Amino acid sequence: MGSAATSTYEGFTAEERAAMKDHAKELRTAARRSPADKAAEAERDVLAKIAEMQDSDRILAERVHAVITACAPALAPKLWYGMPAYALDGKIVCHFQSAAKFKTRYATLGFSDQAKLDEGTMWAAAFALTEVTAEVEERISALVKQAVS
């Protein structure tokens, strides 16, 4: 074998561990809910999580939530690893990741492999968000509509 590696694996970051704990809590909470209350409670959870965010992330998340729920009512809001997410038939299609959650420079709107954004052999699956303008709202709306088409 060769020389020792210059970096070593130190496990998950504190942010990653917190996200996993959030996800475990979300699963436990969802399992305790009655089927009739699940959708309404899940949306309340998303709105509560958005309300907890720092101002810059909260403003972005509120606009993203409003655009997604308006343009794709078939998507069900729910928490996913402590992030607002939107699912179709129980499978996550897209999610909002605040900049503060993972201490990044910008928030992102990410799409899962369930999203039908395929374009040739390579396409974007996440988009950086620094501001939600009318033009950005139109782009989000078009992407989400394409994702669920």
Side-chain angles (χ1 to χ4, degrees):
M1 305 235 202
S3 62
T6 57
S7 65
T8 59
Y9 175 71
E10 295 183 22
F12 294 108
T13 66
E15 293 82 10
E16 291 168 331
R17 284 191 302 278
M20 288 185 282
K21 287 179 183 178
D22 285 343
H23 187 57
K25 181 180 175 187
E26 293 156 13
L27 293 173
R28 287 190 304 272
T29 301
R32 288 191 298 265
R33 291 184 173 149
S34 70
D37 295 335
K38 277 188 179 182
E41 290 290 331
E43 181 156 18
R44 278 194 288 275
D45 291 346
V46 166
L47 294 173
K49 184 58 77 173
I50 290 171
E52 293 172 5
M53 293 179 185
Q54 295 176 1
D55 286 348
S56 57
D57 285 332
R58 182 181 42 76
I59 292 165
L60 293 172
E62 287 171 347
R63 293 305 313 137
V64 167
H65 178 78
V67 170
I68 291 173
T69 56
C71 76
L75 290 179
K78 65 186 280 182
L79 289 179
W80 183 65
Y81 292 94
M83 296 177 282
Y86 305 86
L88 184 63
D89 299 326
K91 295 181 180 178
I92 300 299
V93 173
C94 59
H95 70 280
F96 175 84
Q97 180 178 308
S98 69
K101 184 164 185 75
F102 291 102
K103 299 177 183 165
T104 58
R105 191 166 57 103
Y106 46 78
T108 58
L109 174 63
F111 291 88
S112 75
D113 62 333
Q114 298 299 310
K116 298 172 183 151
L117 298 179
D118 304 35
E119 186 179 305
T121 57
M122 186 172 118
W123 56 90
F127 298 84
L129 290 171
T130 58
E131 183 180 8
V132 179
T133 62
E135 183 181 326
V136 171
E137 286 183 6
E138 287 178 26
R139 180 84 193 273
I140 292 170
S141 180
L143 285 166
V144 170
K145 286 175 183 176
Q146 180 183 348
V148 297
S149 64

